[in-house]
Amino acid sequence: MKRVFSGVKPTGHLTLGNYLGAMRQWAAEDQHRADALFCIVDLHALTVDHDPARVRRLSRQAATLLLASGLDPRVCTVFLQSHVDEHARLSYLLECVATDGEMRRMIQYREKAAREQRRGGSVRLSLLTYPVLMAADILAYGTDEVPVGDDQTQHVELTRDLAVRFNQRYGQAFVVPRATHPKVAARVMNLQDPRSKMGKSDDAGPGIVYVLDEPDVVRRKVMRAMTDSGRDVVYDRESRPGVANLLEILAACTGGNPEALGGVYGSYGDLKRDTAEAVIEMLRPVQLRHKELCADPGYVEGVLRDGAERARGMARPTVDAAYRAIGLLPAGADTGAPVLKAAR
C-alpha cells in the first residue's frame, strides 16, 4: 500500500475549510486506500507567539475532531508530532541540506514576515525554518502522497527537492513524495473576504465557520456572506468570487458541481439559505461524535499514545539510516578512541 501523511496545526479552532479541504477526504478515502498517518503538528504551533495552555487545549481538540470526523485508529495512525522525537531529529539534518534562499522564498514566510515588519516587530527563526520541519514530518515515514490544499503545494515541492538532494549527496535514504489535491473545495475562502483563505489562525469573525459552530451561528455567518455586484448567480471565480465560494461550499457539501448549481438559483438569498443548511447537516454528525469523545477523554489519550508508539516504529529506521548516511556514528559505535573513566 502507498503511505500517506497529513498534518493539522493546532493554532486555532478547526474550520469548515479544514473539514472540506482535508479532514473529510482523510476519513472517507485516504485512511482506507493507503497506510495513512494523521498528525497534529503541535511543534509548528510554536513558530509564533502563543499561549502554552491554549496550544495544549487546541491539540487535544484537533485530535478529538479528527476522530469525530471518522478517522479510525484501527485503520490509520493518529498521533501528536511532539510525541515522536524523530521529527525534530530529522529536521536538523534537512536544515543541513536546505539553503537560506529556499527558506526566504517560501510564500507564507514572506507574507508573515512582511506583516510583522509593518507592525514594527520581527518573526521567530522557527518561522523561517519550519518548512524544513514539515519536510521532516513527511520524509520520516517514507511517504508517497501528501494530500494538501493549494496553498501548501510549495511546501511539498520543497520536501521533494530536499529528498532528491539528500539522496544524490549521501545515498538513497528517502522516498520522494508527491502532493495530491481534493477535486472540490480544495481551498475554502473567507465568507467576508472571498479572495482570502478561511484560515483557523485568523481572528474570530463572521467570515469563518468553525466545525464546532452551533447551527444558528452557521446560518448567521453564511447569510451575511459577502456576494458580488449584479444579481445573477453565476460561477465565476475571478469576477464573482463571493458567489463562487458559496457555490463551491454547497457543491462540496452536497456532491454537486459548482458550475451546474449556478444555474439553479434565482437569487443570492436562496443560495445562501441552501448553503447554510447543507453545512449544518454535514457538520451535525461530527459535532455529535465530538461531544461523545469529550465525555471519554481516556479514549482519546489512548489513541494518541498508541499512535505515537506506532509512528516511532515507522520513523526510527528511516531517520537512523539518514543519520548514518550523512556521516554520523550510530549510538554505541566503536569510534576507535580510548574510553575515559569518569573521575570520582
Side-chain angles (χ1 to χ4, degrees), residues 166-243:
F166 190 102
N167 290 345
Q168 290 175 342
R169 290 180 180 176
Y170 305 113
Q172 195 69 27
F174 302 118
V175 173
V176 181
R178 67 184 184 92
T180 59
H181 306 279
K183 296 181 180 65
V184 175
R187 196 177 191 197
V188 178
M189 313 307 281
N190 189 295
L191 294 177
Q192 292 298 316
D193 182 8
R195 296 193 184 277
S196 299
K197 178 185 173 183
M198 185 184 287
K200 63 181 179 296
S201 301
D202 297 339
D203 294 333
I208 307 169
V209 175
Y210 295 104
V211 176
L212 294 179
D213 274 348
E214 295 288 336
D216 286 345
V217 175
V218 174
R219 286 192 191 93
R220 184 166 61 251
K221 289 179 178 180
V222 175
M223 293 304 295
R224 294 178 179 176
M226 181 178 292
T227 50
D228 311 292
S229 60
R231 296 184 178 181
D232 295 337
V233 179
V234 178
Y235 181 78
D236 186 331
R237 184 44 106 169
E238 290 302 317
S239 63
R240 300 282 187 87
V243 172

Side-chain angles (χ1 to χ4, degrees), residues 8 14 19 23-24 26-28 31-32 36-40 58-80 211-212 285-307 310:
V8 60
L14 296 179
Y19 185 76
M23 295 162 60
R24 186 174 63 168
W26 296 350
Q31 69 171 333
H32 300 293
L37 300 101
F38 301 99
C39 182
I40 294 87
L58 290 176
S59 296
R60 178 183 293 276
Q61 184 186 89
T64 306
L65 278 172
L66 290 185
L67 297 174
S69 71
L71 293 186
D72 185 346
R74 297 169 298 182
V75 175
C76 64
T77 304
V78 182
F79 66 106
L80 284 171
V211 176
L212 294 179
V286 179
Q287 294 177 351
L288 289 174
R289 180 58 177 152
H290 176 266
K291 186 175 181 181
E292 294 171 355
L293 291 171
C294 286
D296 186 10
Y299 172 76
V300 177
E301 291 174 2
V303 168
L304 294 177
R305 182 174 59 250
D306 294 344
R310 194 182 313 156

Side-chain angles (χ1 to χ4, degrees), residues 92-94 96-97 166 170-171 320-329:
Y92 181 73
L93 290 198
L94 295 178
C96 296
V97 176
F166 190 102
Y170 305 113
D320 285 349
Y323 265 58
R324 291 192 298 272
I326 205 171
L328 300 177
L329 282 170

Side-chain angles (χ1 to χ4, degrees), residues 48-279:
V48 296
D49 190 30
H50 63 276
D51 174 10
R54 186 170 186 266
V55 171
R56 287 190 290 269
R57 185 172 64 254
L58 290 176
S59 296
R60 178 183 293 276
Q61 184 186 89
T64 306
L65 278 172
L66 290 185
L67 297 174
S69 71
L71 293 186
D72 185 346
R74 297 169 298 182
V75 175
C76 64
T77 304
V78 182
F79 66 106
L80 284 171
Q81 178 191 32
S82 62
H83 291 179
V84 181
D85 292 345
E86 279 63 33
H87 292 253
R89 289 180 61 206
L90 182 55
S91 182
Y92 181 73
L93 290 198
L94 295 178
E95 285 188 11
C96 296
V97 176
T99 67
D100 176 75
E102 285 176 313
M103 297 299 98
R104 296 187 186 279
R105 284 194 297 270
M106 301 303 287
I107 293 172
Q108 291 194 18
Y109 171 77
R110 287 161 53 192
E111 290 177 348
K112 291 180 179 179
R115 187 161 57 243
E116 285 301 317
Q117 288 174 358
R118 288 194 296 269
R119 296 173 179 172
S122 60
V123 297
R124 299 182 181 190
L125 178 61
S126 55
L127 184 65
L128 178 66
T129 60
Y130 96 90
V132 177
L133 176 57
M134 184 180 293
D137 298 337
I138 297 167
L139 296 179
Y141 297 99
T143 302
D144 298 293
E145 296 181 5
V146 188
V148 291
D150 295 339
D151 61 321
Q152 292 295 327
T153 300
Q154 187 186 35
H155 290 120
V156 181
E157 289 303 315
L158 173 68
T159 301
R160 290 171 55 84
D161 291 343
L162 295 179
V164 169
R165 191 178 305 155
F166 190 102
N167 290 345
Q168 290 175 342
R169 290 180 180 176
Y170 305 113
Q172 195 69 27
F174 302 118
V175 173
V176 181
R178 67 184 184 92
T180 59
H181 306 279
K183 296 181 180 65
V184 175
R187 196 177 191 197
V188 178
M189 313 307 281
N190 189 295
L191 294 177
Q192 292 298 316
D193 182 8
R195 296 193 184 277
S196 299
K197 178 185 173 183
M198 185 184 287
K200 63 181 179 296
S201 301
D202 297 339
D203 294 333
I208 307 169
V209 175
Y210 295 104
V211 176
L212 294 179
D213 274 348
E214 295 288 336
D216 286 345
V217 175
V218 174
R219 286 192 191 93
R220 184 166 61 251
K221 289 179 178 180
V222 175
M223 293 304 295
R224 294 178 179 176
M226 181 178 292
T227 50
D228 311 292
S229 60
R231 296 184 178 181
D232 295 337
V233 179
V234 178
Y235 181 78
D236 186 331
R237 184 44 106 169
E238 290 302 317
S239 63
R240 300 282 187 87
V243 172
N245 190 35
L246 291 172
L247 288 169
E248 286 193 352
I249 292 171
L250 179 60
C253 292
T254 61
N257 178 281
E259 290 90 345
L261 287 170
V264 172
Y265 292 94
S267 71
Y268 292 162
D270 290 341
L271 171 61
K272 290 180 176 181
R273 276 188 288 273
D274 281 3
T275 301
E277 293 308 315
V279 171

